[in-house]
Amino acid sequence: GENVEQHPSTLSVQEGDSAVIKCTYSDSASNYFPWYKQELGKRPQLIIDIRSNVGEKKDQRIAVTLNKTAKHFSLHITETQPEDSAVYFCAVKRDFGNEKLTFGTGTRLTIIP
Amino acid sequence: DAGITQSPRHKVTETGTPVTLRCHQTENHRYMYWYRQDPGHGLRLIHYSYGVKDTDKGEVSDGYSVSRSKTEDFLLTLESATSSQTSVYFCASLRVGGDGYTFGSGTRLTVV
């Protein structure tokens, strides 16, 4: 089955600095790569996603980059703010007929004021 | 995300007892999923459903069973609860052609 590795497991950055979280995957047929943010005691929420025909996608301060050849993708958060503190999960999925997300193990991001 | 609810939100049960968790969605989503979340393991798939009475096992299905008799309801049963099943359980749903899941609020289960 699919294997997704996520690094680092914990990350602390100064407010205003950038944060980068990386995931690698094993299944070359994976075609959909979302990132979820989970605040303490809450449900995971989709924050950004990318498909394999796109190399980069941005939404304000967050961006996701994909390298399908190397089978890795990354979440970039710029100008970090205290409200960015949360656990972030990457995930992968094939298209159609296999509608299951496989998640990474999560990264606890702490923004230091 | 009020379209998907889980019950109960918290439960404490004794080892060896059966437990059923309920997931209810009003989105008419075809696909539904049960995950468990544990520190260091992320979210791991227990069982999933492609439609009414159409279910399959995920990566950590031992000790769990599911049923889906209606589109809106997906039940997870721990046949005989063990301490290793202490976890936070999340239900999720997905529409046909959709990408990102809609998650429920989670159920914190403690087996003592």
Side-chain angles (χ1 to χ4, degrees):
Chain A
E2 174 71 274
N3 183 46
V4 180
E5 294 189 0
Q6 183 172 345
H7 298 282
S9 57
T10 61
L11 179 61
S12 296
V13 300
Q14 290 291 137
E15 182 178 353
D17 288 350
S18 296
V20 181
I21 303 169
K22 182 177 178 179
C23 286
T24 60
Y25 61 97
S26 59
D27 185 355
S28 57
S30 293
N31 203 35
Y32 173 67
F33 308 91
W35 284 91
Y36 286 82
K37 176 183 180 181
Q38 186 180 30
E39 296 175 348
L40 188 63
K42 300 291 183 62
R43 73 189 82 193
Q45 299 269 18
L46 178 68
I47 55 172
I48 196 167
D49 55 13
I50 193 169
R51 289 203 157 274
S52 63
N53 57 339
V54 176
E56 182 176 4
K57 182 177 179 181
K58 286 184 179 180
D59 183 3
Q60 299 181 13
R61 295 186 298 107
I62 61 174
V64 55
T65 58
L66 171 66
N67 184 329
K68 207 156 190 286
T69 302
K71 290 191 278 190
H72 66 72
F73 59 111
S74 299
L75 177 70
H76 304 256
I77 306 174
T78 59
E79 301 173 15
T80 53
Q81 300 169 3
E83 53 264 36
D84 294 330
S85 293
V87 178
Y88 292 82
F89 292 98
C90 64
V92 303
K93 181 166 75 74
R94 289 184 176 190
D95 267 337
F96 312 119
N98 193 347
E99 306 289 350
K100 299 176 291 180
L101 282 172
T102 300
F103 287 86
T105 51
T107 297
R108 181 173 299 279
L109 175 64
T110 302
I111 307 303
I112 305 166
Chain B
D1 292 322
I4 182 166
T5 56
Q6 292 183 231
S7 60
R9 291 295 310 276
H10 303 272
K11 186 172 182 65
V12 179
T13 192
E14 293 186 350
T15 299
T17 61
V19 176
T20 296
L21 309 182
R22 182 182 186 234
C23 179
H24 179 78
Q25 54 108 351
T26 57
E27 306 291 333
N28 200 33
H29 286 174
R30 175 178 175 180
Y31 306 107
M32 296 186 75
Y33 311 84
W34 277 106
Y35 284 83
R36 60 177 288 174
Q37 183 175 25
D38 305 287
H41 292 277
L43 291 148
R44 292 181 292 173
L45 183 63
I46 305 171
H47 282 279
Y48 58 101
S49 170
Y50 285 116
V52 173
K53 296 184 180 179
D54 188 2
T55 64
D56 207 346
K57 296 179 180 180
E59 61 179 307
V60 290
S61 60
D62 287 349
Y64 301 95
S65 62
V66 290
S67 67
R68 190 154 179 221
S69 58
K70 297 185 290 185
T71 297
E72 56 267 35
D73 291 325
F74 193 31
L75 304 180
L76 176 71
T77 297
L78 287 65
E79 295 140 9
S80 177
T82 68
S83 58
S84 65
Q85 294 175 312
T86 292
S87 186
V88 178
Y89 291 85
F90 283 99
C91 172
S93 69
L94 178 70
R95 63 175 175 81
V96 175
D99 285 327
Y101 290 172
T102 299
F103 277 96
S105 299
T107 295
R108 182 173 295 277
L109 176 69
T110 302
V111 183
V112 298

